[in-house]
Amino acid sequence: FESKHTEVVKLADDISVGLQKLDEAAQDIDDMKEEIQESESVLQEAQRASADMLKQISARTAVAEKKRTEAQAVRDVADSHLALVNADKEEIEKDLEATLPAIREAEEALRSVTPKDFATLKALKSPPPVLRLVLDA
């Protein structure tokens, strides 16, 4: 009887330890469920924040793209104006090159005029019409 009793007591202790382990496991499961719920709420908040950031980034990207397009349009207009200005500059430089010999010739002619030439012109009572035209200019 005693060996049976010892065996039953040992089985009862084993069952009791097993039940304690089951209770501990149930408590651990409940704790894990709470942690999971907390983690899920943190995750949901992070997802909301990410979605908001994505919206802001998308909006800013759209604005930046619009400004880039506008800047490109302004750059294109400026490039076309620059091309026109460069064409005008080339034409003006060609005209200047063409007039430089005449300017140099006129400068040389002015250097050859002396005060005696002016005295001679003043002495004329009625200068010729060509000379009068030059003097009036």
Side-chain angles (χ1 to χ4, degrees):
F1 173 76
E2 207 157 302
S3 75
K4 280 282 188 189
H5 182 277
T6 305
E7 199 176 306
V8 170
V9 168
K10 185 174 182 320
L11 280 175
D13 285 343
D14 287 345
I15 289 174
S16 180
V17 168
L19 288 174
Q20 278 181 333
K21 297 252 182 215
L22 284 175
D23 284 342
E24 288 174 8
Q27 183 62 39
D28 287 344
I29 289 173
D30 289 341
D31 291 345
M32 286 182 192
K33 283 182 181 178
E34 286 179 21
E35 287 178 15
I36 288 172
Q37 286 177 343
E38 289 173 8
S39 294
E40 283 180 350
S41 72
V42 169
L43 178 62
Q44 288 174 351
E45 183 60 36
Q47 285 175 335
R48 278 192 290 271
S50 295
D52 290 343
M53 287 174 95
L54 182 60
K55 286 179 188 176
Q56 289 176 355
I57 290 170
S58 295
R60 288 179 184 164
T61 300
V63 168
E65 183 63 27
K66 182 179 177 185
K67 286 187 179 187
R68 187 189 69 77
T69 302
E70 290 171 357
Q72 184 61 43
V74 168
R75 184 179 297 127
D76 292 344
V77 169
D79 287 345
S80 68
H81 286 289
L82 180 62
L84 292 173
V85 167
N86 284 336
D88 287 346
K89 178 183 172 189
E90 288 177 15
E91 185 177 326
I92 290 169
E93 286 175 349
K94 285 179 185 177
D95 290 346
L96 178 63
E97 285 295 320
T99 59
L100 280 178
I103 292 172
R104 287 188 185 116
E105 188 177 315
E107 287 174 342
E108 189 62 35
L110 282 174
R111 283 190 205 102
S112 69
V113 174
T114 64
K116 183 180 176 186
D117 294 331
F118 284 111
T120 304
L121 287 175
K122 283 183 182 179
L124 293 176
K125 291 187 180 184
S126 131
V130 170
L131 188 56
R132 191 173 286 159
L133 178 66
V134 170
L135 293 175
D136 287 342

